[in-house]
Amino acid sequence: MKSVTEFPQFKLEQGLKTKNELSAAGKTNEEISASIGETFKYEGDKLKHFMAAMDVATANAENLARVLVVSLNEGENAPHKAVKVEEHYYVPEFKTAPKAVVVKEAGKPGESRDGRGKGGGGKGRSENKGPKPSPWGISPEEKAAKKAASLKAQKEAKAAAQS
């Protein structure tokens, strides 16, 4: 597909407005074409393409962004909604509305702004664990304190079970 020219939506709207005013004044098609050529400074093929693009714009007015004028190579299929005038195709392109973005609130406890739970640490560390322990394991003092705490808990559990 080879692009010949294109006409933006605002230029087509101006052309349609001018065309409607001239036809309401009783002008013929040749006079309308000549007047539009003078107004927009188009002549020859460009004027012919503009007049045909205005007809395509009238048929596809809603959400129109521009009208492309293209010629197809051998074996190519015409795009959807393309209109063939003589040897060229007039393809209307439409504006697409942006999709709504859903934003989660960061005010919920235990959730960051992006909604992935608690943040700020990496490698599974929680914010309230304190400083990072030694990479070589716990020290002998920490090991003894941990063992004493578990023995104390076992004795309390036995005492509670006997009474």
Side-chain angles (χ1 to χ4, degrees):
M1 180 168 31
K2 179 183 173 192
S3 178
V4 176
T5 188
E6 66 179 66
F7 299 102
Q9 174 255 342
F10 71 90
K11 188 72 82 173
L12 292 166
E13 284 181 356
Q14 290 173 351
L16 287 170
K17 182 180 174 187
T18 305
K19 183 178 178 182
N20 291 337
E21 290 172 356
L22 293 171
S23 62
K27 303 283 184 177
T28 64
N29 284 341
E30 290 80 25
E31 292 173 327
I32 290 172
S33 180
S35 179
I36 286 177
E38 290 173 13
T39 304
F40 294 99
K41 297 183 178 38
Y42 293 146
E43 53 186 40
D45 285 343
K46 186 83 168 185
L47 178 60
K48 181 179 74 170
H49 293 315
F50 186 66
M51 296 301 286
M54 284 194 300
D55 294 335
V56 172
T58 305
N60 300 295
E62 191 169 324
N63 291 328
L64 184 71
R66 64 183 177 168
V67 175
L68 293 172
V69 181
V70 298
S71 61
L72 297 179
N73 296 325
E74 287 186 33
E76 287 185 325
N77 295 328
H80 182 66
K81 289 199 175 192
V83 177
K84 185 174 183 181
V85 177
E86 296 177 9
E87 71 273 359
H88 293 96
Y89 287 88
Y90 294 80
V91 183
E93 282 191 354
F94 300 96
K95 298 175 189 170
T96 56
K99 295 182 181 178
V101 177
V102 179
V103 178
K104 291 189 175 189
E105 297 204 15
K108 296 178 185 176
E111 191 172 298
S112 66
R113 272 184 269 150
D114 58 2
R116 292 187 288 176
K118 291 184 178 179
K123 296 190 180 181
R125 288 186 55 224
S126 178
E127 295 168 356
N128 54 5
K129 274 192 177 179
K132 185 175 177 181
S134 169
W136 298 282
I138 58 176
S139 67
E141 295 83 19
E142 290 173 325
K143 194 183 251 186
K146 190 174 182 182
K147 190 173 184 180
S150 81
L151 288 174
K152 183 178 177 184
Q154 285 176 356
K155 287 181 183 177
E156 288 176 359
K158 269 188 186 179
Q162 288 180 355
S163 46

